[in-house]
Amino acid sequence: MKNIVIPSNGINHEQRIKKILDNFKEEGYKEEHDILNNYNNELRTNNRSGNNRYCMIVFLTNYIKKVKKSLNKVTYQDNVNFIIKEYGDKQPKTQSLAKGILKIFYRWLYNMEDTNEYHECVKKFKTTIPRNLRNFKKPEDLPTPEEIKKLFN
């Protein structure tokens, strides 16, 4: 999934998601279509925004097409290869987001949401960003107490 442009064209998120899933089914992914449709319904039930669900469905349909395996046969190494191939040249935050989506999806798929566990195919993924790669403000970029007082006087 490379730099996806999401035009609205007056179509609401539900219609866009339905269109993506219908096309996915027509491409021969019936079982996966049913799984993603159920996942979308679960996300909707949990009050995920339409745009959030749309982005996740786009990501997951592309993921399934690239991995080229049944979801119950995907291994950790398959997922590592997917992340390297699709996101190896991206920022650590983007890689972490992709890993996070996979972890959440597989946790739902294998009904592990009430546990602190993840499925074996995503369990080893680290989704935090190392401190040295985060976009923290440097102390010299933050306002001093005197500057803050001036703002309120």
Side-chain angles (χ1 to χ4, degrees):
M1 185 170 91
K2 306 261 183 188
N3 299 333
I4 292 179
V5 177
I6 305 173
S8 68
N9 298 333
I11 300 173
N12 71 31
H13 294 297
E14 295 303 325
Q15 291 171 326
R16 294 162 69 197
I17 292 168
K18 182 180 181 329
K19 185 175 181 178
I20 286 173
L21 289 175
D22 288 347
N23 289 341
F24 192 57
K25 186 176 183 178
E26 288 174 13
E27 292 173 17
Y29 295 98
K30 175 162 180 5
E31 181 182 333
E32 293 84 354
H33 162 273
D34 295 343
I35 291 169
L36 292 183
N37 194 45
N38 290 338
Y39 186 56
N40 178 51
N41 291 336
E42 179 74 17
L43 294 173
R44 185 185 309 105
T45 302
N46 290 325
N47 295 319
R48 291 290 189 123
S49 72
N51 189 54
N52 181 280
R53 288 184 290 112
Y54 175 78
C55 291
M56 291 180 88
I57 295 300
V58 168
F59 172 87
L60 290 168
T61 55
N62 286 323
Y63 162 75
I64 291 167
K65 290 176 187 177
K66 302 277 169 116
V67 172
K68 299 178 181 172
K69 279 189 176 180
S70 176
L71 290 170
N72 61 356
K73 294 184 180 175
V74 173
T75 65
Y76 174 72
Q77 192 58 51
D78 294 327
N79 285 326
V80 168
N81 293 342
F82 170 77
I83 295 294
I84 290 171
K85 183 176 180 188
E86 298 299 314
Y87 296 93
D89 60 342
K90 304 290 184 216
Q91 293 291 321
K93 284 183 181 181
T94 306
Q95 293 175 10
S96 186
L97 178 63
K99 292 173 186 177
I101 291 171
L102 290 176
K103 287 179 86 167
I104 291 166
F105 174 70
Y106 276 102
R107 183 179 252 185
W108 170 83
L109 183 64
Y110 287 97
N111 200 22
M112 301 171 84
E113 295 169 302
D114 295 333
T115 69
N116 287 331
E117 296 294 317
Y118 290 97
H119 188 265
E120 290 297 318
C121 70
V122 293
K123 188 180 227 174
K124 296 178 190 175
F125 276 155
K126 302 246 186 292
T127 54
T128 57
I129 301 162
R131 288 193 172 275
N132 62 338
L133 298 176
R134 294 182 190 164
N135 290 333
F136 284 117
K137 296 282 185 195
K138 298 175 190 164
E140 57 269 16
D141 294 337
L142 299 174
T144 64
E146 293 80 27
E147 292 172 325
I148 293 173
K149 286 179 185 175
K150 284 182 187 177
L151 290 172
F152 291 103
N153 288 335

